[in-house]
Amino acid sequence: MKNIVAGHVAVTATEFVELALGTPLDLWLGVEDESEMERAARLDAARDILTAYPELPDDVSRVAAQAIEAFAPELFNVVPLTRPAGRRQSPAGKRAAA
């Protein structure tokens, strides 16, 4: 199966993500042994991109969820936690008094 994003064929998972997001992963994750000046420049560029495209974090989350759903759906198999019998659940955001 070929992974085609915006008319380009992605050979690796990294290429697929970079094509889908439109930015290289190294911009967000950094690289090993980067200097303080390189790090500052990378973070500055990332801030500029987030300012220009404030929807990017939502797009990243959507791409990640779609990739997990397509290639590792078992990661969405979540077992709900049960509460001990006899304990009342407090309203959201409130803790029960001890």
Side-chain angles (χ1 to χ4, degrees):
M1 179 175 129
K2 289 185 179 180
N3 292 311
I4 301 175
V5 179
H8 299 279
V9 177
V11 178
T12 66
T14 299
E15 286 179 358
F16 178 81
V17 172
E18 289 178 349
L19 287 169
L21 299 177
T23 62
L25 289 177
D26 290 347
L27 175 69
W28 308 103
L29 304 176
V31 293
E32 198 172 319
D33 298 327
E34 73 181 349
S35 70
E36 284 299 315
M37 189 184 319
E38 290 168 329
R39 182 176 190 276
R42 177 177 59 79
L43 293 176
D44 191 41
R47 275 190 291 277
D48 288 347
I49 290 170
L50 289 173
T51 298
Y53 302 100
E55 70 282 354
L56 186 61
D58 290 336
D59 292 345
V60 169
S61 298
R62 190 171 21 267
V63 167
Q66 289 170 345
I68 291 168
E69 190 173 44
F71 299 106
E74 69 278 2
L75 295 178
F76 282 127
N77 294 337
V78 178
V79 177
L81 298 175
T82 58
R83 298 195 178 274
R87 288 192 62 182
R88 271 188 36 215
Q89 184 173 354
S90 301
K94 308 268 187 195
R95 290 187 176 234

